[in-house]
Amino acid sequence: MSSSSPTGGRHVHPSALLGRRSEHQVLNRLVKDVLVGESRVLVLRGAPGVGKSAMLAYLSDQMAGMRVVRAAGVESEMELPYSGLHQLCGPLLEHLDGLPVRQRDALATVLGRSSSPAPDRLMVDLATLSLIAAAAEEGPLACVVDDAQWMDRASAQVLSFVARRLFAEPVALVCAVRTGAGDDFLAGAPEMRIRGLNSADARTLLLSSVRGPLDPGVADRIVAESHGNPLALLELPRTWTTAQLAGGFGLLDDRPVAGKIEQSYVQRLALLPPDTRQLVLTAAAEPLGDPALLRRAATKLGVDTAALEQAVDAGLLRMGGTVVFAHPLVRSAAYRSAPAVDRLRVHRALAAVTDADVDPDRRAWHRACGTLGPDEEVAAELERSAGRAQARGGLAAAAAFLTRATELTPDPATRTRRALDAALAKLRAGALDTARAMLAVAGEGPLDEPHHARMDVVRAQLALVSRRGNEAAPLLLAAARRLQPLDPELARETYLDAFSAAQFAARLSEGVTVEELARAARTALPREDAVLRPRDQLLQAFADLADDYAAAVPVGRRALASLRQEADVTSKGLHLLWQGSVLALELWDDEGAYLLSEQQLSTVRKTGALSELPLALSSFIPILVFCGELTAAAALVEEARLVREVEGLSETAYGALTYGAWSGDTRALPQLIHAKLREARSRREGIGVAVCEYARAVLLNGSGEYDEACAAALNACVDPGELVAHNWGLTELVESAARARRMDLATDAFQRLSSKALASGTEWALGMQARARALLEDGDVAEAAYREAIEHLARARVRAELARAHLLYGEWLLEKNRQPEAFSESGIAHRLFTAMGIGGFAERARNAMVATGASVGTRPAETRDNLTVQEAQIARLASDGLTNTEIGARLFISARTVEWHLRKVFAKLGVRSRRDLHRALSDANP
């Protein structure tokens, strides 16, 4: 990357003004919008030389009175993590200490100002947004990025986040991107295509750049073949002779315009003296543009830096505070056209003069580029650079360093180890194809048992992220078996991961059964007299569940008790909390599931492990729904949607399905279920199929469509090995089958449900068992069962299930013509459902009340109906006492944007303070 000044404009070439009226109008309007306090994002896309940089220069000239920070991508620096962010954030670091502590530390770490552990990438994103917003508090700010297609991946991801989360800040983010090379950069953001000049303007520009006669026919041909590319019109005539321009002789060339321009630069470079060409090559290989570094490298090469003046005179580059090429194509022409031996020599010189203490990673990269064959010393230095990159959160850079280190490693065993490290780094960086390639490299070398185990683990992780989830469990099982004699503790962790993978694949699993996993896992458990850690207790519980549910219950309870007693769970223990909440739900332990899921989410927020946020949110949402806390669940559904949006994630929103089903979203949920069913099947996630069918069953039971609900519930509980979802499906199947008079199905589902519920013995389990039993009985036996269900569920946390027990009891009383009692029970259900926001079942309860013949009023519309989803979420968080900064961190927006939304909320609700806000929301949600 090459840095640029924080303020001021640059000289605008006449080609930027010619024929660009409409483009200028767009840029002028952008500047005006930002000056009045609005946020604007714009991507300029176009071919090389078409005028993107000139447009940025024009824009800079219009930004008088604004602060401008700039960055420019350099192809050779794409592997260095956060190098682009260094440029944009460097001039703004006076605001760093004002950020929330975790954000401050995250940004300081990736910028090399702190040696803290590698931060979560989403925290870096949020910190950058907060830093830019803080700078904009002092006045309008413009972030201008040229050649963004060469931005390092880590910085590009940050900019993508910032672009999507700018709302109410006086900030412009304008990036220029080359088509064909950076098409995925800020995809979906507002863009302006920079195209070639029209024929008349192109001819005008051509004639202004040519001295001497130009044949009209030749001019027409040049204009046509240049496609109006301004740089081509200015640059190509420089290398043509007078005879060629006058008659067109020798102009035949069918290469693309960019290739012609680059070749033109190659021809101009060839006219320079050898020493000058070598210095230009050195500058091209050294992306910092540091004149002092260039002088030291020249001395190492034995070349006088005065030779560079001829390149300056030729208009190929400029010397000042930094070395700047006239166009990126000059840099690429100089580097690509140079003989390989010259490039090696230049990189060695640059490595020799780069300070190993100040910039060890750049030195290592130059050494690698200057090395032709295997070299253990260079490979080891690259491996150390990979470690530093990982510590800063630069996964893509770490993967690049490790890949090159593997290529340079002479020892086969060491090369295998580094290839496995590179494969894992590539996987974590999202480069799946190259991860597979590095696995293949590792497979060609000598493999001992630990290496085989590591390969199985990486392959399993590849399967999980490659939408082939059913392949993961067999690979993890194989890895655990290999690890068992080598590292028993790691083997048990891997067995536990294998259970998780198997639970996800469930009905769509292939090659390994849960019973087989259980048998293997038991052989890895510590001896009976050993003190088991929570992780080992969880593994034992999951293994026992595969064979005997009743026997697994006491083991599971001990595991959950131990897990809940664990103090200060760190980000490394988050997966255990998730596995614990799954076990708690399977054992009908509503209190344990609530507390563990709540702890998982709070730990994610406390530790800044925001990449774990989607799973934590999705896990907590169904529990909140069962507990009747649908307002809180709705907030988490929206937060999960925001996380998937800002991170570009495609995880299936299982929590949102449960919320939508219970809230009675009959308009949007059926389409969402259809889409998520298709996704779950393509990802080979059987648990996803079960949850989709369960959500469909709940929605249909809520609206009284029992035949369809019965079919969906039957599909939901096909596989007893699908933990949790199978239990939920059974409860819906008993109700829908009983209502549809499919007593054979209802009885079978009840028997399966009852065996688990009685073994569990929790208030939730016993309440569900009694409720299901009441649906199959009649007379006094049925009534006693309904009352028993209500008594059990009233002592549990699951208020939504309690409301359904009141509803079913009220409907049964209505069938018995006991209208006053039916009205009372249905009324209780209606009040509970309405207060909780469970729409479908509330309407079903209201219908039961109406059927008693009593007068039933309508509930007034909520005050909050006028609020948007985000306004309602901000209002709730503000009423809970969170500050604007804390709300912004929760919703991935700036504190200024939170304030902007709150002003609108106050106006809509007619309140003036947060205290009034709390009261208004309480009145709207009794």
Side-chain angles (χ1 to χ4, degrees):
M1 295 287 170
S2 59
S3 61
S4 57
S5 60
T7 58
R10 297 186 300 173
H11 172 68
V12 180
H13 193 279
S15 63
L17 305 175
L18 186 63
R20 299 298 192 188
R21 177 175 298 178
S22 61
E23 289 89 341
H24 292 167
Q25 289 175 345
V26 171
L27 297 178
N28 293 341
R29 186 163 55 251
L30 179 147
V31 173
K32 290 180 180 177
D33 290 344
V34 174
L35 287 174
V36 298
E38 299 183 13
S39 301
R40 289 293 179 266
V41 176
L42 183 65
V43 182
L44 310 181
R45 299 190 187 274
V50 79
K52 303 183 298 297
S53 298
M55 286 293 103
L56 292 182
Y58 172 84
L59 178 65
S60 296
D61 282 354
Q62 310 311 305
M63 291 177 169
M66 293 177 62
R67 187 175 192 182
V68 182
V69 291
R70 296 188 179 88
V74 177
E75 189 172 10
S76 59
E77 196 159 317
M78 292 179 68
E79 305 296 352
L80 296 179
Y82 297 109
S83 52
L85 202 62
H86 270 278
Q87 294 182 73
L88 286 178
C89 293
L92 309 177
L93 289 179
E94 68 267 22
H95 301 284
L96 182 63
D97 289 339
L99 302 185
V101 173
R102 292 196 179 278
Q103 295 183 32
R104 180 200 66 199
D105 291 347
L107 193 55
T109 299
V110 301
L111 295 181
R113 298 169 66 91
S114 170
S115 57
S116 300
D120 188 279
R121 183 166 65 83
L122 197 53
M123 187 63 72
V124 178
D125 295 343
L126 187 57
T128 305
L129 175 66
S130 297
L131 186 76
I132 289 173
E137 290 288 340
E138 297 180 350
L141 173 68
C143 302
V144 179
V145 182
D146 202 359
D147 286 317
Q149 74 278 355
W150 289 330
M151 182 77 68
D152 66 277
R153 183 172 178 178
S155 297
Q157 289 172 333
V158 173
L159 287 181
S160 179
F161 174 91
V162 171
R164 288 194 294 266
R165 308 312 295 166
L166 285 171
F167 291 111
E169 301 80 10
V171 174
L173 174 60
V174 184
C175 305
V177 182
R178 180 181 297 186
T179 53
D183 294 342
D184 59 343
F185 183 84
L186 293 191
E191 64 178 43
M192 180 169 64
R193 295 279 173 173
I194 309 298
R195 308 185 189 280
L197 302 174
N198 62 40
S199 296
D201 291 329
R203 176 181 285 272
T204 299
L205 183 60
L206 174 64
L207 294 176
S208 70
S209 65
V210 174
R211 296 181 181 179
L214 178 62
D215 182 271
V218 173
D220 290 341
R221 180 175 174 186
I222 293 172
V223 168
E225 293 184 355
S226 71
H227 302 289
N229 187 296
L231 185 60
L233 293 165
L234 293 169
E235 177 58 31
L236 296 182
R238 291 173 179 261
T239 61
W240 295 336
T241 66
T242 302
Q244 288 174 321
L245 291 171
F249 305 109
L251 294 182
L252 291 175
D253 190 346
D254 60 357
R255 287 171 298 173
V257 173
K260 294 178 184 179
I261 298 172
E262 186 167 334
Q263 185 57 36
S264 170
Y265 285 132
V266 170
Q267 293 174 19
R268 290 172 61 188
L269 287 164
L271 299 176
L272 299 174
D275 285 356
T276 303
R277 290 201 303 272
Q278 193 166 39
L279 286 177
V280 172
L281 172 61
T282 306
E286 194 289 294
L288 290 179
D290 182 356
L293 185 61
L294 183 60
R295 284 193 294 270
R296 294 198 300 272
T299 301
K300 187 72 176 178
L301 292 165
V303 179
D304 189 345
T305 53
L308 200 59
E309 293 178 4
Q310 294 194 48
V312 175
D313 293 340
L316 295 171
L317 51 78
R318 299 192 303 275
M319 292 288 291
T322 57
V323 180
V324 180
F325 282 90
H327 192 274
L329 287 174
V330 180
R331 181 191 293 272
S332 60
Y335 193 83
R336 293 174 184 174
S337 66
V341 64
D342 289 348
R343 291 200 296 268
L344 290 170
R345 186 184 306 116
V346 160
H347 279 295
R348 288 168 186 161
L350 286 168
V353 300
T354 299
D355 192 320
D357 294 326
V358 175
D359 205 346
D361 299 337
R362 204 178 305 275
R363 179 180 183 274
W365 193 250
H366 279 309
R367 287 194 72 189
C369 292
T371 302
L372 197 56
D375 187 316
E376 176 55 29
E377 183 182 343
V378 176
E381 188 172 350
L382 284 170
E383 190 172 27
R384 289 192 292 273
S385 289
R388 286 189 292 268
Q390 285 181 319
R392 296 196 302 273
L395 294 177
F401 286 133
L402 287 169
T403 300
R404 183 61 176 146
T406 301
E407 295 167 354
L408 296 177
T409 301
D411 176 63
T414 306
R415 184 168 59 248
T416 296
R417 177 181 60 78
R418 286 173 178 158
L420 284 171
D421 290 341
L424 184 58
K426 290 286 187 183
L427 170 63
R428 290 173 175 169
L432 305 188
D433 290 340
T434 48
R436 294 187 185 96
M438 294 312 297
L439 273 180
V441 171
E444 295 171 357
L447 289 171
D448 55 16
E449 284 299 292
H451 286 150
H452 271 298
R454 286 194 65 201
M455 285 190 70
D456 288 337
V457 170
V458 176
R459 286 196 181 109
Q461 293 174 340
L462 267 170
L464 286 172
V465 300
S466 302
R467 298 187 175 228
R468 300 197 311 274
N470 59 336
E471 298 177 12
L475 291 167
L476 288 167
L477 174 59
R481 282 171 167 161
R482 291 185 190 276
L483 286 168
Q484 198 165 323
L486 305 169
D487 188 337
E489 186 173 320
L490 181 57
R492 291 193 291 274
E493 291 181 15
T494 307
Y495 276 123
L496 197 53
D497 289 340
F499 270 111
S500 296
Q503 289 160 13
F504 268 97
R507 67 181 70 185
L508 300 179
S509 63
E510 297 175 6
V512 64
T513 65
V514 175
E515 290 76 16
E516 183 182 356
L517 263 177
R519 287 193 298 272
R522 286 196 184 93
T523 66
L525 288 169
R527 62 183 186 274
E528 291 186 5
D529 59 342
V531 177
L532 298 183
R533 299 184 311 158
R535 187 187 305 274
D536 299 330
Q537 291 176 309
L538 282 174
L539 179 60
Q540 184 177 7
F542 282 124
D544 288 352
L545 279 171
D547 294 334
D548 187 338
Y549 186 93
V553 170
V555 176
R557 284 181 177 161
R558 287 194 296 270
L560 294 174
S562 297
L563 193 57
R564 286 169 58 178
Q565 290 169 6
E566 281 274 289
D568 299 325
V569 175
T570 65
S571 59
K572 293 182 179 180
L574 286 171
H575 206 59
L576 277 185
L577 291 174
W578 172 74
Q579 289 166 324
S581 67
V582 170
L583 178 61
L585 287 171
E586 175 63 18
L587 299 183
W588 301 92
D589 179 0
D590 50 334
E591 187 70 20
Y594 191 103
L595 294 176
L596 289 172
S597 293
E598 185 179 47
Q599 185 181 6
Q600 181 188 5
L601 183 57
S602 65
T603 303
V604 166
R605 300 198 195 283
K606 182 173 66 176
T607 61
L610 298 183
S611 58
E612 299 290 335
L613 194 52
L615 179 62
L617 292 169
S618 188
S619 300
F620 199 20
I621 288 168
I623 299 168
L624 289 171
V625 169
F626 287 131
C627 295
E629 299 178 35
L630 269 76
T631 300
L636 296 194
V637 167
E638 175 62 13
E639 186 175 351
R641 185 194 66 77
L642 288 175
V643 174
R644 291 194 301 274
E645 175 189 303
V646 300
E647 289 293 274
L649 301 176
S650 59
E651 278 89 346
T652 301
Y654 296 139
L657 291 174
T658 306
Y659 168 77
W662 279 81
S663 62
D665 185 4
T666 56
R667 288 184 298 178
L669 190 63
Q671 291 79 10
L672 180 63
I673 290 174
H674 180 75
K676 296 307 176 184
L677 262 175
R678 187 170 59 250
E679 285 182 19
R681 291 188 177 114
S682 71
R683 295 172 68 98
R684 310 300 294 168
E685 288 183 1
I687 192 66
V689 176
V691 171
C692 287
E693 295 291 5
Y694 162 74
R696 194 201 309 273
V698 171
L699 186 68
L700 292 168
N701 269 333
S703 58
E705 301 173 67
Y706 299 116
D707 289 320
E708 294 85 350
C710 181
L714 195 58
N715 287 332
C717 53
V718 164
D719 185 353
E722 289 169 345
L723 300 188
V724 182
H726 180 258
N727 294 350
W728 297 351
L730 289 175
T731 64
E732 299 304 323
L733 181 56
V734 173
E735 180 175 332
S736 58
R739 287 287 193 250
R741 299 291 186 257
R742 297 288 306 276
M743 302 311 294
D744 55 334
L745 291 178
T747 301
D748 176 69
F750 168 72
Q751 290 172 349
R752 288 189 282 163
L753 173 65
S754 185
S755 66
K756 285 188 170 184
L758 294 175
S760 167
T762 66
E763 297 290 355
W764 183 13
L766 295 176
M768 299 303 288
Q769 193 269 353
R771 197 178 80 186
R773 177 162 33 94
L775 286 163
L776 303 179
E777 300 290 353
D778 200 3
D780 293 343
V781 176
E783 183 162 17
Y786 279 123
R787 291 185 178 278
E788 181 185 343
I790 290 170
E791 288 175 3
H792 282 302
L793 292 173
R795 292 193 290 267
R797 194 161 190 158
V798 285
R799 292 175 62 240
E801 296 288 14
L802 171 64
R804 285 183 70 171
H806 280 291
L807 170 60
L808 289 169
Y809 185 28
E811 290 174 335
W812 182 84
L813 290 166
L814 185 62
E815 290 178 2
K816 304 304 178 185
N817 293 318
R818 293 163 60 179
Q819 276 81 358
E821 295 166 278
F823 183 85
S824 174
E825 289 295 327
S826 300
I828 293 172
H830 184 261
R831 286 192 297 275
L832 287 172
F833 285 135
T834 302
M836 291 185 285
I838 299 178
F841 288 101
E843 185 62 23
R844 187 172 136 187
R846 185 176 183 279
N847 291 339
M849 294 169 68
V850 171
T852 65
S855 175
V856 180
T858 59
R859 186 171 184 264
E862 291 187 5
T863 307
R864 293 178 298 150
D865 286 348
N866 292 326
L867 301 180
T868 66
V869 173
Q870 188 161 63
E871 288 170 352
Q873 196 171 12
I874 289 172
R876 186 186 66 82
L877 293 173
S879 71
D880 288 344
L882 274 69
T883 67
N884 288 358
T885 299
E886 291 168 336
I887 296 172
R890 182 77 60 90
L891 303 183
F892 312 108
I893 53 179
S894 72
R896 183 187 179 105
T897 298
V898 173
E899 180 62 32
W900 180 71
H901 280 299
L902 275 177
R903 286 197 296 268
K904 296 170 67 177
V905 168
F906 283 10
K908 288 182 178 182
L909 298 182
V911 299
R912 295 185 177 182
S913 69
R914 292 187 181 223
R915 183 179 303 171
D916 294 338
L917 177 63
H918 182 77
R919 185 165 52 250
L921 293 177
S922 298
D923 291 343
N925 189 28

